[in-house]
């Protein structure tokens, strides 16, 4: 059985942070569509040029672009024993396309970890979030001693800390609205298929990860 995992939840739930901790423990790849798209934007590729305007506005990039990225990625050899998907699927159409792709690959149906956090906490997490433009590490101004423009504190990284353009107030509001309208229906979708596990993700990073790992072990992963 492959360790196929989807982290579902609103922006700011901690999907990226928990994905990093989980892939370290399970030794499977972390597939984050947001990271892939941000790299495409910063490199100015054709995909990046198409995606940028949606991302800056806090809207979703069209399904066909994102589905193709994930289809291609899942075919690679390092996904054979599992993967952690972070930020995908975000619409019912994407979930159906993923079911189809995984069916073609004849792999295990993914376990979907739904990370629940109240809106008030999400806004605080997103507005204080900072990232490294080189290693992609995630920081928070209330927890880590970093600000935009600083050099990344991670060992062997000389990247620069920045604030994502979509972590500014208007884009945050739009992303939360888009989540409720387009992504939240996935909770029902996966619950109906018996693939969903709920996790309270409002606690500290370490405690949430303990809960996530325990939920995975309960379902025979890790
Ligand atoms: P994230 O880093 O997951 O918060 O994603 C940042 C932005 O990338 C989102 O607000 C969307 O504009 C875009 N994006 C990432 N994943 C997807 C997806 N699965 N479907 C559509 N757009 C996406």
């Amino acid at each position: 059985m492959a360790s196929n995992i989807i982290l579902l939840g609103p922006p700011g739930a901690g999907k990226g942070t928990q994905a990093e901790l989980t892939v370290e423990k399970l030794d499977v790849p972390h597939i984050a569509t947001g990271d892939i798209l941000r790299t495409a934007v910063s490199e100015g590729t054709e995909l990046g040029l198409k995606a940028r305007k949606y991302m800056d506005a806090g809207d979703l990039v069209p399904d066909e672009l994102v589905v193709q990225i994930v289809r291609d990625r899942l075919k690679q050899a390092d996904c054979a024993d599992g993967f952690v998907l972070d930020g995908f699927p975000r619409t019912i159409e994407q979930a159906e396309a993923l079911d189809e792709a995984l069916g073609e690959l004849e792999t295990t149906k993914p376990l979907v970890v739904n990370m629940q956090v109240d809106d008030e906490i999400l806004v605080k997490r997103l507005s204080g979030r900072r990232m490294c433009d080189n290693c992609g590490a995630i920081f928070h101004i209330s927890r880590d001693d970093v600000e935009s423009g600083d050099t990344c504190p991670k060992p062997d990284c000389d990247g620069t800390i920045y604030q994502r353009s979509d972590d500014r107030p208007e884009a945050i509001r739009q992303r939360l609205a888009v989540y409720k309208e387009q992504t939240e229906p996935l909770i029902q979708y996966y619950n109906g298929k018996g693939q969903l596990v709920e996790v309270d993700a409002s606690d500290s990073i370490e405690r949430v990860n303990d809960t996530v790992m325990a939920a995975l072990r309960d379902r025979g992963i890790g």
Side-chain angles (χ1 to χ4, degrees), residues 116-133:
Q116 297 167 311
V117 184
D118 289 344
D119 279 7
E120 206 184 311
I121 300 179
L122 295 175
V123 173
K124 278 193 196 140
R125 285 190 184 170
L126 291 168
S127 51
R129 175 162 71 179
R130 301 292 182 269
M131 296 199 41
C132 170
D133 69 357

Side-chain angles (χ1 to χ4, degrees), residues 33-34 37-38 54-55 59-61 66 87-88 90 94 164 166 175:
T33 42
L37 290 166
R38 274 185 291 281
Y54 300 101
M55 296 174 75
D59 288 325
L60 294 185
V61 172
V66 192
F88 184 96
R90 264 177 154 102
Q94 292 179 16
R164 279 172 49 170
D166 60 354
R175 287 161 68 207

Side-chain angles (χ1 to χ4, degrees), residues 109-166:
K109 278 192 195 310
L111 182 65
V112 182
V113 179
N114 183 38
M115 301 176 58
Q116 297 167 311
V117 184
D118 289 344
D119 279 7
E120 206 184 311
I121 300 179
L122 295 175
V123 173
K124 278 193 196 140
R125 285 190 184 170
L126 291 168
S127 51
R129 175 162 71 179
R130 301 292 182 269
M131 296 199 41
C132 170
D133 69 357
N134 179 43
C135 70
I138 303 167
F139 302 94
H140 196 279
I141 52 171
S142 71
R143 185 183 60 229
D144 308 299
D145 187 20
V146 297
E147 235 330 327
S148 300
D150 289 356
T151 300
C152 179
K154 295 275 176 198
D156 301 325
C157 181
D158 61 359
T160 304
I161 303 301
Y162 75 106
Q163 182 178 34
R164 279 172 49 170
S165 55
D166 60 354

